[in-house]
Coordinates of all heavy atoms in Angstrom, one line a residue:
M1 N 11.1 7.9 -28.2 CA 11.1 6.7 -27.4 C 12.6 6.3 -27.0 O 12.8 5.8 -26.0 CB 10.4 5.6 -28.2 CG 10.3 4.3 -27.5 SD 9.3 4.5 -26.1 CE 8.7 2.8 -25.8
K2 N 13.5 6.4 -28.0 CA 14.9 6.1 -27.8 C 15.5 6.9 -26.6 O 16.2 6.4 -25.8 CB 15.7 6.3 -29.0 CG 17.1 5.9 -28.9 CD 17.8 6.1 -30.3 CE 19.3 5.7 -30.1 NZ 20.0 5.8 -31.4
D3 N 15.1 8.2 -26.6 CA 15.6 9.1 -25.5 C 15.1 8.6 -24.1 O 15.8 8.6 -23.1 CB 15.1 10.5 -25.7 CG 15.8 11.2 -26.9 OD1 16.9 10.7 -27.3 OD2 15.2 12.1 -27.4
I4 N 13.9 8.1 -24.1 CA 13.3 7.6 -22.8 C 14.1 6.4 -22.3 O 14.4 6.2 -21.2 CB 11.8 7.3 -22.9 CG1 11.0 8.7 -23.1 CG2 11.3 6.6 -21.7 CD1 9.6 8.5 -23.5
L5 N 14.3 5.5 -23.3 CA 15.0 4.2 -22.9 C 16.5 4.5 -22.5 O 17.0 3.9 -21.5 CB 15.0 3.3 -24.1 CG 13.7 2.7 -24.5 CD1 13.8 1.8 -25.7 CD2 13.1 1.9 -23.3
L6 N 17.1 5.5 -23.1 CA 18.5 5.9 -22.7 C 18.4 6.5 -21.3 O 19.3 6.3 -20.5 CB 19.1 6.9 -23.7 CG 19.5 6.3 -25.1 CD1 19.9 7.4 -26.0 CD2 20.6 5.2 -24.8
Y7 N 17.4 7.3 -21.0 CA 17.3 7.9 -19.7 C 17.1 6.9 -18.7 O 17.7 6.9 -17.6 CB 16.1 8.9 -19.8 CG 15.8 9.5 -18.4 CD1 16.6 10.5 -17.9 CD2 14.8 9.1 -17.6 CE1 16.4 11.1 -16.7 CE2 14.5 9.6 -16.4 CZ 15.3 10.6 -15.9 OH 15.0 11.2 -14.7
I8 N 16.2 5.9 -18.9 CA 15.9 4.8 -18.0 C 17.2 4.0 -17.7 O 17.5 3.7 -16.6 CB 14.8 4.0 -18.4 CG1 13.5 4.7 -18.4 CG2 14.7 2.7 -17.6 CD1 12.3 4.0 -19.0
A9 N 17.9 3.7 -18.8 CA 19.2 2.9 -18.6 C 20.2 3.7 -17.8 O 20.9 3.1 -16.9 CB 19.7 2.6 -20.0
D10 N 20.3 5.0 -18.0 CA 21.2 5.9 -17.3 C 20.8 5.9 -15.8 O 21.6 5.8 -14.9 CB 21.2 7.3 -17.9 CG 22.5 8.0 -17.6 OD1 23.5 7.4 -17.4 OD2 22.4 9.3 -17.5
M11 N 19.5 6.1 -15.5 CA 19.0 6.1 -14.1 C 19.3 4.8 -13.4 O 19.6 4.7 -12.3 CB 17.5 6.5 -14.1 CG 17.2 7.9 -14.5 SD 17.8 9.1 -13.2 CE 19.2 9.7 -14.1
H12 N 19.1 3.7 -14.2 CA 19.3 2.4 -13.6 C 20.8 2.2 -13.2 O 21.1 1.7 -12.1 CB 18.9 1.3 -14.7 CG 19.1 -0.1 -14.2 ND1 20.3 -0.8 -14.5 CD2 18.4 -0.9 -13.4 CE1 20.2 -2.0 -14.0 NE2 19.1 -2.1 -13.3
K13 N 21.7 2.6 -14.0 CA 23.1 2.5 -13.7 C 23.4 3.4 -12.5 O 24.2 2.9 -11.6 CB 24.0 3.0 -14.9 CG 25.4 2.8 -14.7 CD 26.2 3.4 -15.8 CE 27.7 3.3 -15.6 NZ 28.3 3.5 -14.3
E14 N 22.9 4.6 -12.4 CA 23.1 5.5 -11.3 C 22.6 4.8 -10.0 O 23.2 4.9 -8.9 CB 22.5 6.8 -11.5 CG 23.3 7.7 -12.4 CD 22.7 9.1 -12.6 OE1 22.2 9.6 -11.5 OE2 22.8 9.7 -13.7
L15 N 21.4 4.2 -10.1 CA 20.8 3.6 -8.9 C 21.7 2.4 -8.4 O 22.0 2.3 -7.2 CB 19.4 3.1 -9.2 CG 18.7 2.4 -8.1 CD1 18.5 3.2 -6.9 CD2 17.3 1.9 -8.6
I16 N 22.1 1.6 -9.4 CA 23.0 0.5 -9.0 C 24.3 0.9 -8.4 O 24.7 0.4 -7.3 CB 23.3 -0.4 -10.3 CG1 22.0 -1.0 -10.8 CG2 24.3 -1.5 -10.0 CD1 21.3 -2.0 -9.9
D17 N 24.9 2.0 -8.9 CA 26.1 2.5 -8.3 C 25.9 3.1 -6.9 O 26.7 2.8 -6.0 CB 26.7 3.6 -9.2 CG 27.2 3.1 -10.5 OD1 27.5 1.9 -10.6 OD2 27.4 3.9 -11.5
M18 N 24.7 3.7 -6.7 CA 24.4 4.3 -5.4 C 24.2 3.1 -4.4 O 24.7 3.2 -3.2 CB 23.1 5.1 -5.4 CG 23.3 6.5 -5.9 SD 21.9 7.6 -5.9 CE 20.6 6.7 -5.0
L19 N 23.5 2.1 -4.8 CA 23.3 0.9 -3.9 C 24.6 0.2 -3.6 O 24.8 -0.2 -2.4 CB 22.3 0.0 -4.5 CG 20.9 0.5 -4.6 CD1 20.0 -0.5 -5.4 CD2 20.3 0.6 -3.2
K20 N 25.5 0.1 -4.5 CA 26.8 -0.6 -4.3 C 27.6 0.2 -3.3 O 28.3 -0.3 -2.5 CB 27.5 -0.8 -5.6 CG 27.0 -1.9 -6.4 CD 27.8 -2.0 -7.7 CE 27.3 -3.1 -8.6 NZ 28.1 -3.2 -9.9
E21 N 27.5 1.5 -3.4 CA 28.3 2.4 -2.5 C 27.7 2.4 -1.1 O 28.4 2.3 -0.1 CB 28.3 3.8 -3.1 CG 29.1 4.8 -2.2 CD 29.0 6.2 -2.8 OE1 29.2 6.3 -4.0 OE2 28.7 7.1 -2.1
R22 N 26.4 2.4 -1.0 CA 25.7 2.5 0.3 C 25.7 1.2 1.0 O 25.8 1.1 2.2 CB 24.3 3.0 0.1 CG 23.5 3.1 1.3 CD 24.1 4.2 2.2 NE 23.3 4.4 3.4 CZ 23.8 4.0 4.6 NH1 25.0 3.5 4.7 NH2 23.1 4.2 5.7
F23 N 25.6 0.1 0.3 CA 25.5 -1.3 0.9 C 26.6 -2.2 0.3 O 26.4 -3.1 -0.4 CB 24.2 -1.9 0.6 CG 23.0 -1.1 1.1 CD1 22.2 -0.4 0.3 CD2 22.8 -0.9 2.5 CE1 21.1 0.4 0.7 CE2 21.8 -0.1 3.0 CZ 20.9 0.5 2.1
P24 N 27.9 -1.8 0.7 CA 29.0 -2.7 0.2 C 28.9 -4.1 0.7 O 28.5 -4.3 1.8 CB 30.2 -1.9 0.7 CG 29.7 -1.2 1.9 CD 28.3 -0.8 1.7
I25 N 29.3 -5.0 -0.2 CA 29.4 -6.4 0.3 C 30.9 -6.7 0.2 O 31.6 -6.6 -0.8 CB 28.6 -7.3 -0.7 CG1 27.2 -7.0 -0.6 CG2 28.9 -8.8 -0.3 CD1 26.3 -7.8 -1.5
P26 N 31.4 -7.1 1.4 CA 32.9 -7.3 1.4 C 33.3 -8.4 0.5 O 32.6 -9.4 0.2 CB 33.1 -7.8 2.9 CG 31.9 -7.4 3.6 CD 30.8 -7.3 2.6
V27 N 34.5 -8.2 -0.1 CA 35.0 -9.2 -1.0 C 35.6 -10.3 -0.3 O 35.5 -11.5 -0.6 CB 36.1 -8.5 -1.9 CG1 36.7 -9.5 -2.8 CG2 35.4 -7.4 -2.8
N28 N 36.4 -10.1 0.8 CA 37.1 -11.1 1.5 C 36.3 -11.4 2.8 O 36.3 -10.8 3.8 CB 38.5 -10.6 1.9 CG 39.3 -11.8 2.5 OD1 38.7 -12.8 2.9 ND2 40.5 -11.5 2.7
H29 N 35.5 -12.5 2.7 CA 34.6 -12.9 3.8 C 35.4 -13.4 5.0 O 34.8 -13.5 6.1 CB 33.6 -13.9 3.3 CG 32.6 -13.3 2.4 ND1 31.6 -12.4 2.8 CD2 32.5 -13.4 1.0 CE1 30.9 -12.0 1.7 NE2 31.4 -12.6 0.7
D30 N 36.7 -13.7 4.8 CA 37.5 -14.2 6.0 C 37.8 -13.0 6.9 O 38.1 -13.3 8.1 CB 38.8 -14.8 5.5 CG 38.6 -16.0 4.7 OD1 37.6 -16.7 4.9 OD2 39.5 -16.4 3.8
E31 N 37.7 -11.8 6.4 CA 38.0 -10.6 7.3 C 36.7 -10.0 7.8 O 36.8 -8.9 8.4 CB 38.7 -9.6 6.4 CG 40.1 -10.1 6.0 CD 40.8 -9.1 5.2 OE1 40.3 -8.0 5.0 OE2 41.9 -9.4 4.7
T32 N 35.6 -10.6 7.7 CA 34.3 -10.1 8.2 C 33.8 -10.9 9.4 O 34.1 -12.1 9.5 CB 33.3 -10.0 7.1 OG1 33.0 -11.3 6.6 CG2 33.7 -9.1 6.0
D33 N 33.0 -10.3 10.2 CA 32.4 -11.0 11.3 C 31.0 -10.4 11.6 O 30.9 -9.5 12.4 CB 33.3 -10.7 12.6 CG 33.0 -11.6 13.7 OD1 32.2 -12.5 13.5 OD2 33.5 -11.4 14.8
Y34 N 30.1 -10.8 10.8 CA 28.7 -10.3 10.8 C 27.9 -10.8 12.0 O 28.0 -12.0 12.3 CB 28.0 -10.6 9.5 CG 28.4 -9.7 8.4 CD1 29.3 -10.1 7.4 CD2 27.9 -8.4 8.3 CE1 29.7 -9.3 6.4 CE2 28.3 -7.6 7.3 CZ 29.2 -8.0 6.4 OH 29.6 -7.2 5.4
R35 N 27.2 -9.9 12.6 CA 26.3 -10.2 13.8 C 25.0 -9.4 13.6 O 25.0 -8.3 13.0 CB 27.0 -9.8 15.1 CG 28.3 -10.4 15.4 CD 28.1 -11.9 15.9 NE 29.3 -12.4 16.5 CZ 30.2 -13.1 15.9 NH1 30.1 -13.3 14.6 NH2 31.2 -13.5 16.6
D36 N 24.0 -10.0 14.1 CA 22.7 -9.2 14.1 C 22.8 -8.1 15.2 O 23.8 -8.1 15.9 CB 21.5 -10.1 14.3 CG 21.4 -10.8 15.7 OD1 22.2 -10.4 16.6 OD2 20.5 -11.6 15.9
A37 N 21.9 -7.2 15.2 CA 22.0 -6.1 16.1 C 22.1 -6.5 17.6 O 23.0 -5.9 18.3 CB 20.8 -5.2 16.0
S38 N 21.4 -7.5 18.0 CA 21.5 -7.9 19.4 C 22.9 -8.4 19.8 O 23.4 -8.0 20.8 CB 20.4 -9.0 19.6 OG 20.5 -9.5 20.9
D39 N 23.4 -9.2 18.9 CA 24.8 -9.8 19.2 C 25.8 -8.7 19.1 O 26.8 -8.6 19.9 CB 25.1 -10.9 18.3 CG 24.3 -12.2 18.5 OD1 23.8 -12.3 19.7 OD2 24.2 -13.0 17.6
A40 N 25.7 -7.8 18.1 CA 26.6 -6.7 17.9 C 26.7 -5.8 19.1 O 27.7 -5.4 19.6 CB 26.3 -5.9 16.6
K41 N 25.5 -5.4 19.6 CA 25.4 -4.6 20.8 C 26.1 -5.2 22.0 O 26.9 -4.6 22.7 CB 24.0 -4.3 21.2 CG 23.3 -3.3 20.3 CD 21.9 -2.9 20.8 CE 21.1 -4.2 21.1 NZ 19.7 -3.9 21.5
R42 N 25.8 -6.5 22.2 CA 26.4 -7.2 23.3 C 28.0 -7.3 23.2 O 28.7 -7.0 24.1 CB 25.8 -8.6 23.4 CG 26.3 -9.4 24.6 CD 25.6 -10.7 24.8 NE 25.3 -11.5 23.6 CZ 24.1 -11.6 23.1 NH1 23.1 -11.0 23.6 NH2 23.9 -12.3 22.0
E43 N 28.5 -7.7 22.0 CA 29.9 -7.8 21.8 C 30.7 -6.5 21.8 O 31.8 -6.4 22.3 CB 30.2 -8.6 20.6 CG 29.7 -10.1 20.7 CD 30.2 -10.9 19.6 OE1 31.3 -10.7 19.0 OE2 29.4 -11.8 19.2
L44 N 30.0 -5.5 21.3 CA 30.7 -4.2 21.2 C 30.4 -3.3 22.5 O 31.0 -2.2 22.6 CB 30.3 -3.4 20.0 CG 30.7 -4.0 18.7 CD1 30.0 -3.4 17.5 CD2 32.2 -4.0 18.5
K45 N 29.4 -3.8 23.3 CA 29.0 -3.1 24.5 C 28.6 -1.6 24.2 O 29.0 -0.7 24.8 CB 30.2 -3.0 25.5 CG 30.5 -4.4 26.0 CD 31.7 -4.4 27.0 CE 32.0 -5.7 27.6 NZ 32.6 -6.7 26.8
V46 N 27.6 -1.6 23.2 CA 27.0 -0.3 22.8 C 25.5 -0.4 22.8 O 25.0 -1.5 22.8 CB 27.6 0.2 21.4 CG1 29.1 0.4 21.5 CG2 27.2 -0.8 20.3
S47 N 24.9 0.7 22.6 CA 23.4 0.8 22.6 C 22.9 0.7 21.1 O 23.7 0.9 20.2 CB 22.9 2.1 23.2 OG 23.3 3.2 22.5
D48 N 21.6 0.6 21.0 CA 20.9 0.7 19.7 C 21.3 2.0 19.0 O 21.6 2.0 17.8 CB 19.4 0.6 19.8 CG 18.9 -0.8 20.0 OD1 19.5 -1.8 19.4 OD2 18.0 -1.0 20.8
S49 N 21.2 3.1 19.7 CA 21.4 4.4 19.1 C 22.9 4.5 18.7 O 23.1 5.2 17.6 CB 21.0 5.5 20.1 OG 21.7 5.4 21.3
T50 N 23.8 3.9 19.4 CA 25.2 4.0 19.0 C 25.4 3.2 17.7 O 26.1 3.7 16.7 CB 26.1 3.5 20.1 OG1 26.0 4.3 21.2 CG2 27.6 3.5 19.6
L51 N 24.8 2.0 17.6 CA 24.9 1.3 16.3 C 24.3 2.1 15.2 O 24.9 2.1 14.1 CB 24.2 -0.1 16.5 CG 24.9 -1.2 17.0 CD1 24.0 -2.5 17.0 CD2 26.2 -1.5 16.3
W52 N 23.2 2.7 15.4 CA 22.5 3.5 14.3 C 23.4 4.6 13.9 O 23.6 4.9 12.7 CB 21.2 4.0 14.9 CG 20.5 4.9 13.9 CD1 19.7 4.5 12.9 CD2 20.5 6.3 13.8 NE1 19.2 5.6 12.2 CE2 19.7 6.7 12.8 CE3 21.2 7.3 14.6 CZ2 19.6 8.1 12.4 CZ3 21.0 8.6 14.2 CH2 20.2 9.0 13.2
R53 N 24.0 5.3 14.9 CA 24.9 6.5 14.6 C 26.1 6.0 13.8 O 26.5 6.6 12.8 CB 25.3 7.2 15.9 CG 26.1 8.4 15.7 CD 26.3 9.3 16.9 NE 26.5 8.5 18.1 CZ 27.7 8.0 18.5 NH1 28.7 8.1 17.8 NH2 27.7 7.3 19.6
W54 N 26.7 4.9 14.3 CA 27.9 4.4 13.6 C 27.6 4.0 12.2 O 28.3 4.2 11.3 CB 28.5 3.2 14.3 CG 29.2 3.5 15.6 CD1 29.4 4.7 16.1 CD2 29.8 2.6 16.5 NE1 30.1 4.6 17.3 CE2 30.4 3.3 17.6 CE3 29.9 1.2 16.5 CZ2 31.0 2.7 18.6 CZ3 30.5 0.6 17.6 CH2 31.1 1.3 18.6
R55 N 26.4 3.4 12.0 CA 25.9 3.0 10.6 C 25.8 4.3 9.7 O 26.3 4.3 8.6 CB 24.6 2.3 10.7 CG 24.3 1.5 9.5 CD 23.1 0.6 9.7 NE 21.8 1.4 9.7 CZ 20.9 1.3 10.7 NH1 21.0 0.4 11.6 NH2 19.8 2.0 10.7
K56 N 25.1 5.3 10.3 CA 24.9 6.5 9.5 C 26.2 7.3 9.2 O 26.4 7.9 8.1 CB 24.0 7.5 10.2 CG 22.6 7.0 10.4 CD 21.9 6.7 9.1 CE 20.5 6.1 9.2 NZ 20.0 5.7 8.0
E57 N 27.2 7.2 10.1 CA 28.5 7.9 9.9 C 29.5 7.0 9.2 O 30.6 7.4 8.9 CB 29.1 8.2 11.3 CG 28.3 9.3 12.0 CD 28.8 9.5 13.5 OE1 29.7 8.9 13.9 OE2 28.2 10.4 14.1
G58 N 29.1 5.8 8.8 CA 30.0 4.9 8.1 C 31.1 4.3 8.9 O 32.1 3.8 8.4
L59 N 30.9 4.2 10.2 CA 31.9 3.7 11.1 C 31.9 2.2 11.2 O 32.8 1.5 11.7 CB 31.8 4.3 12.5 CG 32.1 5.8 12.5 CD1 31.9 6.4 13.9 CD2 33.5 6.1 12.1
I60 N 30.7 1.6 10.9 CA 30.6 0.2 10.9 C 29.9 -0.3 9.6 O 29.0 0.3 9.1 CB 29.7 -0.3 12.1 CG1 29.7 -1.8 12.3 CG2 28.3 0.3 12.0 CD1 29.2 -2.2 13.7
D61 N 30.5 -1.4 9.0 CA 30.0 -1.9 7.8 C 28.8 -2.8 8.2 O 28.7 -3.4 9.2 CB 31.0 -2.8 7.1 CG 32.2 -2.0 6.6 OD1 32.0 -0.8 6.4 OD2 33.3 -2.5 6.5
F62 N 27.8 -2.8 7.3 CA 26.6 -3.6 7.5 C 26.0 -4.0 6.2 O 26.3 -3.5 5.1 CB 25.6 -2.8 8.3 CG 25.0 -1.6 7.6 CD1 23.8 -1.7 6.9 CD2 25.7 -0.4 7.6 CE1 23.3 -0.6 6.2 CE2 25.2 0.7 6.9 CZ 24.0 0.6 6.2
V63 N 25.2 -5.1 6.2 CA 24.4 -5.5 5.1 C 23.0 -5.7 5.6 O 22.7 -5.9 6.8 CB 24.9 -6.8 4.4 CG1 26.3 -6.6 3.8 CG2 25.0 -7.9 5.4
I64 N 22.0 -5.6 4.6 CA 20.6 -5.9 5.0 C 20.2 -7.1 4.2 O 20.3 -7.1 3.0 CB 19.8 -4.7 4.6 CG1 20.2 -3.5 5.4 CG2 18.3 -5.0 4.9 CD1 19.5 -2.2 5.1
R65 N 19.8 -8.1 4.9 CA 19.3 -9.4 4.3 C 17.9 -9.6 4.7 O 17.6 -9.7 6.0 CB 20.2 -10.6 4.7 CG 21.6 -10.5 4.2 CD 21.7 -10.7 2.7 NE 23.0 -10.7 2.2 CZ 23.6 -9.8 1.5 NH1 22.8 -8.8 1.0 NH2 24.8 -9.9 1.1
K66 N 16.9 -9.7 3.8 CA 15.5 -9.9 4.1 C 15.0 -9.0 5.2 O 14.3 -9.4 6.1 CB 15.3 -11.4 4.5 CG 15.6 -12.3 3.4 CD 15.4 -13.8 3.8 CE 15.7 -14.7 2.6 NZ 15.5 -16.1 2.9
G67 N 15.4 -7.7 5.1 CA 14.9 -6.7 6.1 C 15.6 -6.7 7.4 O 15.3 -5.8 8.2
K68 N 16.6 -7.5 7.6 CA 17.3 -7.5 8.9 C 18.7 -7.0 8.7 O 19.4 -7.4 7.7 CB 17.4 -9.0 9.4 CG 17.9 -9.0 10.8 CD 17.7 -10.4 11.4 CE 18.2 -10.4 12.9 NZ 17.9 -11.7 13.5
I69 N 19.2 -6.2 9.6 CA 20.6 -5.6 9.5 C 21.6 -6.5 10.2 O 21.3 -6.9 11.3 CB 20.6 -4.2 10.1 CG1 19.6 -3.3 9.3 CG2 22.0 -3.6 10.0 CD1 19.4 -1.9 10.0
Y70 N 22.7 -6.8 9.5 CA 23.8 -7.5 10.1 C 25.0 -6.6 10.1 O 25.3 -6.0 9.0 CB 24.0 -8.8 9.3 CG 22.9 -9.8 9.4 CD1 21.9 -9.8 8.5 CD2 22.9 -10.7 10.4 CE1 20.8 -10.6 8.6 CE2 21.8 -11.6 10.5 CZ 20.8 -11.6 9.6 OH 19.8 -12.5 9.7
Y71 N 25.7 -6.5 11.2 CA 26.8 -5.6 11.4 C 28.1 -6.4 11.3 O 28.2 -7.5 11.9 CB 26.7 -4.9 12.7 CG 25.6 -4.0 12.8 CD1 24.4 -4.4 13.4 CD2 25.6 -2.7 12.3 CE1 23.3 -3.6 13.5 CE2 24.5 -1.8 12.4 CZ 23.4 -2.3 13.0 OH 22.3 -1.4 13.1
D72 N 29.1 -5.9 10.6 CA 30.4 -6.5 10.6 C 31.2 -5.8 11.8 O 31.8 -4.8 11.6 CB 31.1 -6.2 9.3 CG 32.5 -6.7 9.2 OD1 32.9 -7.5 10.1 OD2 33.3 -6.4 8.3
I73 N 31.2 -6.5 12.9 CA 31.9 -5.9 14.1 C 33.4 -5.8 13.9 O 34.0 -4.9 14.5 CB 31.5 -6.7 15.4 CG1 31.9 -8.1 15.3 CG2 30.0 -6.6 15.6 CD1 31.8 -8.8 16.6
S74 N 34.0 -6.6 13.1 CA 35.4 -6.5 12.9 C 35.7 -5.2 12.1 O 36.9 -4.7 12.2 CB 35.9 -7.7 12.1 OG 35.4 -7.8 10.8
S75 N 34.8 -4.6 11.4 CA 35.1 -3.4 10.7 C 35.3 -2.2 11.6 O 36.0 -1.3 11.3 CB 33.9 -3.1 9.7 OG 32.7 -2.7 10.4
V76 N 34.7 -2.3 12.8 CA 34.9 -1.2 13.8 C 36.3 -1.3 14.3 O 37.0 -0.3 14.4 CB 33.9 -1.4 15.0 CG1 34.2 -0.4 16.1 CG2 32.5 -1.3 14.6
L77 N 36.8 -2.5 14.5 CA 38.2 -2.6 15.0 C 39.2 -2.2 13.9 O 40.2 -1.5 14.2 CB 38.4 -4.1 15.4 CG 37.5 -4.6 16.5 CD1 37.8 -6.1 16.7 CD2 37.7 -3.9 17.8
R78 N 38.9 -2.6 12.7 CA 39.8 -2.2 11.6 C 39.8 -0.7 11.4 O 40.9 -0.1 11.2 CB 39.4 -2.8 10.3 CG 39.7 -4.3 10.1 CD 39.6 -4.8 8.7 NE 38.3 -4.5 8.1 CZ 37.2 -5.3 8.2 NH1 37.3 -6.4 8.9 NH2 36.1 -5.0 7.6
K79 N 38.7 0.0 11.5 CA 38.6 1.5 11.3 C 39.2 2.2 12.5 O 39.6 3.4 12.3 CB 37.2 1.9 11.0 CG 36.7 1.4 9.7 CD 35.3 1.7 9.4 CE 34.9 1.2 8.0 NZ 33.5 1.5 7.6
K80 N 39.3 1.6 13.6 CA 39.8 2.3 14.8 C 41.3 2.3 14.8 O 42.0 3.1 15.4 CB 39.4 1.7 16.1 CG 37.9 2.0 16.5 CD 37.6 1.5 17.8 CE 36.2 2.0 18.2 NZ 35.9 1.5 19.6
K81 N 41.9 1.4 14.0 CA 43.4 1.3 13.9 C 44.0 2.5 13.2 O 43.6 3.1 12.4 CB 43.8 0.0 13.3 CG 43.6 -1.2 14.2 CD 44.0 -2.4 13.5 CE 43.7 -3.6 14.4 NZ 44.1 -4.9 13.8

């Protein structure tokens, strides 16, 4: 039983680490500029597929809140520099 509990605790830690890596939450909110997909597309002048590709390639930071994706459009500008 002890082995099972240790295994579960270890898996829990790995899952938390993966989630933190995949869905980072910026520490300095003054340097972020979150927009929903519609606003992000309009301001960045890109398509849905471009936003999706940038998200998958790690070119744009994003968070998911209640099933909706919010993009940090300022992260694109920082990463291009």
